[in-house]
Amino acid sequence: MFEILQSGGWIMLPILLCSILALAISVERLWALIPTKIAPPNQLAEVWQKVKANSINPGYLRELKDSSPLGALLASGLSNSRYGRDIMKDSIEETASHVIHDMERNLNALGTIAAIAPLLGLLGTVVGMIDVFAQIVDLGTGNAGVLAGGISQALITTATGLAVAIPALVMHRYLHRRIDSMVVGLEQESVKLVDALHSERKVAVKASKQK
């Protein structure tokens, strides 16, 4: 393995760095985007029980906000629920934009790696081919083995760049798709709270008018 890296020349160093960064970002995002971390099971039901028990207070809202992305959306909605349904939904949407930004952390870097890794490989191949043609000028074309070896070494960087770029691109697309699916789930859970809360209030208002 070391011999392959060495034969590719100095351009293999940034390609290797790209591979390390891509792996680190992928592992970190996979860990951060575990579904139960984003939207803990039964969290909406627990919040609704608190609402029914009239035990929502600033301390609980801060705790809920820090518990998970779903908790942040629910806390934002509850904090503005007294201003009406539309304001409540607007506050949830505003918080959702921050949540999505946090969920997409480092994905731009991963996409950049997927884009530049093959370019770095191509640059290494071009530099290698320049060296090969320089040898042809100095030594002629009599030694085909030396020329073939130089060309194969030049192509190593392109192959390595593609080997880094392809998994990085696949992971970039996969993580974006995963985030999109999670965001839909978060929105659905938040809308359930909005609908339940304001439906409850409408029933209470009607009951009070009948009295």
Side-chain angles (χ1 to χ4, degrees):
M1 182 66 179
F2 178 75
E3 292 178 356
I4 295 176
L5 294 176
Q6 189 176 26
S7 64
W10 64 269
I11 202 69
M12 293 292 284
L13 292 177
I15 295 176
L16 180 61
L17 178 60
C18 285
S19 69
I20 294 172
L21 289 175
L23 179 61
I25 292 171
S26 299
V27 172
E28 187 273 334
R29 286 293 85 193
L30 287 173
W31 174 255
L33 296 175
I34 294 176
T36 53
K37 286 186 175 182
I38 301 299
N42 301 321
Q43 186 168 45
L44 178 60
E46 293 172 2
V47 170
W48 183 243
Q49 290 299 322
K50 289 280 187 179
V51 172
K52 296 283 287 184
N54 198 26
S55 57
I56 301 296
N57 54 64
Y60 174 74
L61 289 177
R62 285 193 297 270
E63 180 182 343
L64 180 62
K65 179 181 178 180
D66 296 334
S67 65
S68 67
L70 175 59
L73 298 183
L74 298 179
S76 177
L78 290 172
S79 298
N80 296 276
S81 61
R82 62 184 179 275
Y83 300 117
R85 178 189 180 91
D86 291 338
I87 299 298
M88 186 178 180
K89 291 184 71 173
D90 289 342
S91 66
I92 290 175
E93 290 175 359
E94 182 178 352
T95 303
S97 65
H98 298 290
V99 168
I100 294 170
H101 182 269
D102 290 339
M103 292 171 67
E104 292 179 343
R105 186 188 305 122
N106 295 326
L107 287 192
N108 284 337
L110 186 61
T112 301
I113 290 171
I116 68 172
L119 296 179
L120 288 172
L122 181 60
L123 175 62
T125 296
V126 171
V127 171
M129 293 302 294
I130 291 173
D131 291 338
V132 169
F133 285 114
Q135 292 181 19
I136 292 176
V137 172
D138 293 337
L139 305 176
T141 58
N143 194 336
V146 173
L147 296 179
I151 293 172
S152 66
Q153 289 180 4
L155 293 174
I156 285 174
T157 55
T158 295
T160 306
L162 291 173
V164 172
I166 292 172
L169 180 60
V170 170
M171 187 57 65
H172 181 262
R173 296 289 180 87
Y174 169 75
L175 289 173
H176 262 298
R177 179 60 181 168
R178 186 168 183 171
I179 289 171
D180 290 342
S181 299
M182 289 181 173
V183 168
V184 171
L186 292 176
E187 291 176 348
Q188 290 175 343
E189 292 292 282
S190 301
V191 169
K192 287 179 183 178
L193 177 64
V194 174
D195 291 340
L197 186 60
H198 286 278
S199 297
E200 187 81 8
R201 288 181 177 177
K202 286 182 180 178
V203 171
V205 169
K206 288 181 179 179
S208 63
K209 288 181 177 180
Q210 290 176 355
K211 291 180 181 180

